[in-house]
Each structure stands twice: as C-alpha cells, then as structure tokens.
Amino acid sequence: MALSRIPRIGIGGPVGSGKTMLIEQLVPILKNEGYNVGIISNDVVSREDADRMRKNLATERGLMPEDLVIGIATGGCPHTAVREDPSINISVVEEMEAKHPNLDLIIIESGGDNITTTFSPALADYFIYIIDVSGGDKYPRKRGLGIETSDLLVINKIDIASFIGADLSVMERDAKIVRNDKPYVFVNSKTGQGVKKVTEQIIKDVLFDAPPKSVAIN
Amino acid sequence: MHTDSDKISSISIEDLSFLQLSDSFFPTGLYTTSNGLELLFYNKNRKLSYDEISDFIRAYIVQQIGPTDCCVIGNAYNSIQKKDFTSLVDLDNMYYFMRLVDETRSASTRSGIQFLRCVSTFSSEDEFLTFYSKSIKDGLAKGVFPVSYALGCNSMNLTKDRSGLMLLYGFVVSVVGAALRLGILQHYEGQMMINELKPVILSTVLKNIEQPADSMWQFIPQLDIIQMHHEQMDSKMFIT
C-alpha cells in the first residue's frame, strides 16, 4: 500500500476525441518544467494506447521509464473502471506510488466513453474532459456530466472546425454557459496548439504551483 | 400462519450484509476478468454454445474455485475462531503461490486489497481485518481475494457457508457477465445459466468449505493454458 498520495488527473472523453494525443503533448511540456509523470491508460479493447505512449514517450524519447506507462483492460466497462468500481485502477495507482514515490503527477486515461463519464474522487483529484469539434458545434450545449462538471474542458481538433462547419465561437459561448465559468481550453493536439494552457492549468490547480519534487529535494 | 412480527424477526441485518457483499455493485473489480472465456470466443470459428459456456464455468467451480478458494475461506474462518493469526498469513501465501497465471495472481491481490479496504471503512474495529491489512503493508501477506473475503464476511457476522456461497455466486455472475458483454449469451440465457448452476455452487461449497488447508488442490490444466494464452493477446477487453 502507498505511503503518500501523488496528485492524480483523470482524463476522459469519447472514443477518438484525442485523450492519448493530449497526454503525448502534455508529458513533454511537464517534463521540460521538471515534473515527472506516470501514466495509466484504460483501454476498451486493447492496450494499443498504452503501447503507443510507452514507445513514444519512454522508449524513443526517454521522457520516463517504460514501467511508468501501464495499460489496463476494463472488461468492456470503461466508465465502471474509473467511477463505480475503480478498484483495479486504484490498486495500480498505489503500486505506482509505492514504486515511484518521487513522481509529481499520475495521469489516468479512461477508455473512450460517452458524455456522462466522470471519475471517482477516490481515483482522481482533477478531471479533464476532452471533446472534439467533429461532433459539431452543438456539443457543449448538449451538456452531459463530463462537459458540465469536469475541472477543465478541452475542445480538441480546432483545425478541422472550418471543414465540418463548426463555429468555435458558438462552442465557446455555450461552454461558458453550461460550465458556469469553469475553465475550458481550445487545442489542436496534433500540433500542440493550446496545450501549454492545459499544462499551466494543471500546474496551478493540481500541483498548486509547487516546484518539481526533484528540484525540491535538491 | 405467520404473523408480520414473525416475518420481521426472521430477517436480520446479516441478511442485508449477505446481499450487500454479494451484489455485483460491491467494488471488487471482478467485472474486468473473463477467466479466459474471451480467448475461446476469438479462437472458435463458431459461436460458443450455451452448454460449452456452462461447462466452462462448471469446470472452474468444481476443479478450482471450490477446492482452493472455498477451502481457503473455510480455513480462514477456522483461523479466526482459534485466533490463529499466523495461519491466515500461511493461507494467503499458499493460495497466492497456487495461482499459475500471472494476471490472475495480481488480479486476486488487487481485488483482495481493495475489498479489504472497502469493508474496513465500516468494520474498522475488527482485529482480523486490522491484522491482515498490516501484514500486507509489512509485506508478509499478499492480500489474496478469498482471505480478504472471508475476513470481510466474518466482520459482518456472516457464516463461512454463506461466505463460500457468495464467493462462488460472484464468480459465476462475473463469467456470465463477461459472456453477455462478449455477445455470446443473451440476458435471459444468462439468468437461466446462473439458475442452473445453483446446485453446483451449493454442492461445491458443502464439499470444500470444511476441508483442511493441506488438502487444497486444483486441476484444470486446459483452462490454465487458455488463460496463459489469453494473457498474451494483443487486443482484449478483459484482464485474464
């Protein structure tokens, strides 16, 4: 069992919304700031996302040890695994905490799911919900627990908005209304546009502007 | 003729605890496992039949869960009765090292530790739960599911027989649930299968719950191999 709790971020969103790619953009920025991150990736039918992140972030770029990217199969119940019964995720997080007590942050990626996804507070301290513009500019207006209650709403793939007739100003207006002024960020995870803002939000709201543990220890 | 007060006196908080701990809503993570059924689903060129799925579950119950998990539960209760704390750790280790498949071993300890922690939130004064949690923390015990389950059930005043029934019933529901999610059973068939397996659950508990720990055994080599293959699958919905 773990000795101390490392801050945990849950990232949820529909299939293909860009959860994995957002993490692949976030980790290098956080690492550049000195923060060490572990990743637990829940996948509905494979470990492809975990394997991809391990290869990209650990094996090829050396931003983290390979054992800091763990894939979990969820028995076809992605929301159950992060909300109703997060037992297995909590166990894996605690194993990671025990093995790597100097981590600054653990990111838990949910399997792709619907707009009612939320994370159990026992599992995640901060919840990022990501949608993309390909579902149309009505998406924020349609609400759903993820869009309404997440700590940070990320709207991805803004580069294709014009091709599918999605008006970003409508999405922004509706996001403000349904979220009661809680933060939202527009990003293009493919190029990294806007991701710095997500990182800043994490450092401020999750890490409370604390320096990386490696710096604090030294 | 029974009066209302008779009826009321015949039920108890323990009955509700029985329902609470055997409910699939209770957080144990069992829904993440198919016990290798997923591999059979992908390897067969035809749909698995109702009877094949039922035989699959029956084999697990009679040849593995009964003579190991049920036996562990019975012996954990005996240890509690004798206040023999050391033998709880021995049982834990014996069970852990009998699990041949890596993923099932880690799934058992993960579920066991989380189950223990959840029950401990409302049975915080139980000395056996406290001892076992400390043994896990100190690295003496692994936290395997049947030991945690027995201690949790005991802390809620449930008998060993009921504890065995609940564990086996939970296993059956988890595999039937996996079959439903794989689309190889429909929901009425699932309930029919659970209903048909009730006598097997009952007889397996009665046969194994009083067996001594040193008579613990398991023999399902074909299913062990299936699980090991499933463990290696690139794309899968379930932990093995």
Side-chain angles (χ1 to χ4, degrees), chain A residues 1 44-47 72-77 80-81 84-85 87-88 90-92 94-95, chain B residues 25-29 31-32 103 110-111 113-114 117 133 136 181 234-239:
Chain A
M1 292 183 197
V44 184
V45 288
S46 73
R47 292 181 180 175
I72 298 181
T74 60
C77 297
T80 308
E84 291 92 331
D85 182 358
S87 314
I88 299 297
I90 289 174
S91 268
V92 174
E94 289 175 350
E95 286 163 22
Chain B
F25 187 64
F26 198 89
T28 57
Y31 65 94
T32 58
E103 271 196 356
R110 284 170 178 165
S111 294
I113 290 168
Q114 295 303 318
R117 188 174 301 170
S133 298
I136 297 166
R181 274 173 273 150
D234 287 334
S235 177
K236 56 183 185 177
M237 272 170 62
F238 295 91
I239 294 170

Side-chain angles (χ1 to χ4, degrees), chain B residues 71-81 87-88 91 146-147 150-151:
Chain B
C71 182
V72 166
I73 285 177
N75 281 281
Y77 268 83
N78 295 342
S79 301
I80 291 165
Q81 202 174 19
S87 64
L88 283 174
L91 272 175
V147 175
L151 299 186

Side-chain angles (χ1 to χ4, degrees), chain A residues 52-124:
Chain A
R52 188 179 102 188
M53 286 189 283
R54 188 177 303 110
K55 182 168 178 261
N56 181 14
L57 298 171
T59 313
E60 292 180 355
R61 300 169 73 180
L63 296 172
M64 58 195 346
E66 289 188 342
D67 68 345
L68 275 175
V69 183
I70 298 175
I72 298 181
T74 60
C77 297
H79 51 274
T80 308
V82 298
R83 185 176 52 200
E84 291 92 331
D85 182 358
S87 314
I88 299 297
N89 267 295
I90 289 174
S91 268
V92 174
V93 167
E94 289 175 350
E95 286 163 22
M96 190 179 268
E97 285 175 333
K99 202 171 169 190
H100 301 277
N102 290 328
L103 281 177
D104 294 290
L105 188 68
I106 295 175
I107 296 176
I108 304 147
E109 178 189 10
S110 167
D113 208 342
N114 61 43
I115 55 172
T116 62
T117 297
T118 54
F119 274 72
S120 164
L123 178 62

Side-chain angles (χ1 to χ4, degrees), chain A residues 9-13 22 26 125-131 145-155 175 179 181-187 194-206:
Chain A
I9 295 178
I11 299 185
L22 177 67
L26 284 173
D125 305 304
Y126 188 82
F127 174 30
I128 295 176
Y129 192 74
I130 179 167
I131 57 174
L145 286 174
I147 291 169
E148 285 182 87
T149 67
S150 58
D151 296 298
L152 178 66
L153 176 68
V154 173
I155 301 171
R179 289 179 54 74
D181 291 328
K182 275 193 290 186
Y184 59 88
V185 181
F186 284 96
V187 305
V195 178
K196 186 84 168 71
K197 279 189 190 166
V198 179
T199 320
E200 287 165 0
Q201 205 78 42
I202 290 170
I203 293 171
K204 176 169 143 298
D205 292 343
V206 185

Side-chain angles (χ1 to χ4, degrees), chain B residues 13 36-37 53 56 91 98 114 131 153 158 170 177 183 202 236:
Chain B
I13 289 292
L37 185 65
I53 299 168
F56 175 89
L91 272 175
M98 280 182 76
Q114 295 303 318
F131 166 79
C153 290
L158 296 172
L202 190 61
K236 56 183 185 177

Side-chain angles (χ1 to χ4, degrees), chain B residues 2-71:
Chain B
H2 290 291
T3 65
D4 280 352
S5 60
D6 287 336
K7 285 178 190 168
I8 290 168
S9 65
S10 70
I11 59 174
S12 65
I13 289 292
E14 283 72 33
D15 292 321
L16 288 169
S17 299
F18 181 61
L19 294 172
Q20 183 187 7
L21 294 184
S22 55
D23 192 331
S24 61
F25 187 64
F26 198 89
T28 57
L30 285 177
Y31 65 94
T32 58
T33 58
S34 79
N35 294 279
L37 185 65
E38 187 177 17
L39 183 93
L40 290 181
F41 166 73
Y42 282 113
N43 267 5
K44 292 267 181 179
N45 293 321
R46 57 181 176 78
K47 188 186 168 191
L48 281 168
S49 72
Y50 178 95
D51 288 341
E52 284 174 317
I53 299 168
S54 183
D55 287 346
F56 175 89
I57 299 174
R58 194 184 302 258
Y60 266 112
I61 293 174
V62 175
Q63 297 287 107
Q64 188 179 69
I65 314 289
T68 55
D69 296 58
C70 259
C71 182

